[in-house]
Amino acid sequence: SQQGEEDPQALSIQEGENATMNCSYKTSINNLQWYRQNSGRGLVHLILIRSNEREKHSGRLRVTLDTSKKSSSLLITASRAADTASYFCATDLYNFNKFYFGSGTKLNVKP
Amino acid sequence: EPEVTQTPSHQVTQMGQEVILRCVPISNHLYFYWYRQILGQKVEFLVSFYNNEISEKSEIFDDQFSVERPDGSNFTLKIRSTKLEDSAMYFCASGGRSSDTQYFGPGTRLTVL
């Protein structure tokens, strides 16, 4: 299937450390998006990276995309307890208006 | 900042009943989506909607489901005869362009008894 799959499934770090999450997918895409979801809440869009981009930054977030390996990574620098959430990547099918989410990485940042 | 809104926040219904979940997308957006998330599982695509018609749908989106944009501002998801396994969070999203950033609403938690 097309679904992005995140790795690791769970990550526990201390406040101030960096957190890296990875996403792999299977077919050509237009773009890849990262979302955050706090427990039981809605999805918050973090960053979109297009297939012709290799790296994007937004505040403490850094996203890379390697289309040859069909993978992306999300780096959160200097993590805070408030970053505790599940993080999902979502990919579209090239030329199709449908999107697939992975199972997510559950990040726990300990104060 | 404009946002997607959804009502109700929580809907409880009996099996076999019809439910309508409502969404107000961001006003200048053209693409609309419904997703669902069963508790503890991944977010699943249901349907995308553009130019007053369905553009893509998943295998989950069977004949029990329908979508409508009745008045140019609301976007609704109807489940005709709910089943226990329809219990989930249902998220509406909208976007300005195809394959562009999608903005999600807070979700409607549907509980089918």
Side-chain angles (χ1 to χ4, degrees):
Chain A
S1 75
Q2 164 64 13
Q3 283 125 339
E5 290 301 331
E6 293 87 345
D7 160 61
Q9 290 185 324
L11 182 61
S12 185
I13 58 174
Q14 292 293 138
E15 211 168 23
E17 292 180 340
N18 294 343
T20 299
M21 290 158 267
N22 302 296
C23 169
S24 59
Y25 58 93
K26 294 185 178 175
T27 62
S28 296
I29 60 172
N30 280 314
N31 65 54
L32 184 145
Q33 306 184 55
W34 284 92
Y35 288 85
R36 184 185 75 222
Q37 184 181 38
N38 290 82
S39 181
R41 307 288 291 276
L43 292 150
V44 175
H45 181 261
L46 297 175
I47 201 161
L48 178 152
I49 186 164
R50 301 195 187 280
S51 59
N52 61 352
E53 297 174 310
R54 292 296 166 258
E55 188 170 309
K56 267 186 113 162
H57 297 254
S58 176
R60 292 183 297 113
L61 306 180
R62 174 177 166 250
V63 167
T64 62
L65 179 65
D66 186 336
T67 52
S68 66
K69 293 181 179 176
K70 294 187 170 57
S71 68
S72 173
S73 68
L74 170 67
L75 168 69
I76 304 174
T77 59
S79 62
R80 304 166 184 167
D83 295 328
T84 294
S86 290
Y87 291 82
F88 298 90
C89 67
T91 55
D92 63 347
L93 273 177
Y94 190 74
N95 280 337
F96 290 92
N97 196 16
K98 61 192 330 185
F99 297 85
Y100 294 92
F101 281 76
S103 302
T105 292
K106 191 171 278 194
L107 174 67
N108 180 32
V109 181
K110 293 177 279 189
Chain B
E1 190 176 319
E3 57 182 21
V4 176
T5 59
Q6 289 184 245
T7 54
S9 55
H10 192 186
Q11 172 97 43
V12 181
T13 190
Q14 294 291 327
M15 191 169 59
Q17 295 295 304
E18 175 183 286
V19 294
I20 297 176
L21 310 182
R22 291 183 167 79
C23 168
V24 179
I26 293 172
S27 62
N28 61 346
H29 283 180
L30 301 175
Y31 292 84
F32 313 109
Y33 309 87
W34 283 101
Y35 293 84
R36 79 171 186 193
Q37 186 179 32
I38 295 170
L39 186 65
Q41 297 187 25
K42 63 174 69 175
V43 176
E44 299 173 290
F45 171 81
L46 291 178
V47 66
S48 57
F49 191 87
Y50 169 72
N51 202 26
N52 281 320
E53 60 183 26
I54 290 173
S55 47
E56 293 291 338
K57 60 182 182 178
S58 72
E59 49 280 1
I60 301 168
F61 194 88
D62 61 21
D63 292 343
Q64 296 286 1
F65 292 88
S66 62
V67 289
E68 200 177 32
R69 190 154 157 80
D71 57 13
S73 61
N74 290 284
F75 180 50
T76 61
L77 174 71
K78 182 193 290 186
I79 309 174
R80 260 180 272 284
S81 177
T82 50
K83 303 188 277 273
L84 295 176
E85 54 265 36
D86 293 328
S87 294
M89 278 289 275
Y90 287 81
F91 293 105
C92 171
S94 70
R97 295 181 301 175
S98 177
S99 294
D100 213 339
T101 300
Q102 294 177 62
Y103 295 89
F104 280 74
T108 292
R109 181 171 297 284
L110 177 65
T111 302
V112 183
L113 302 175

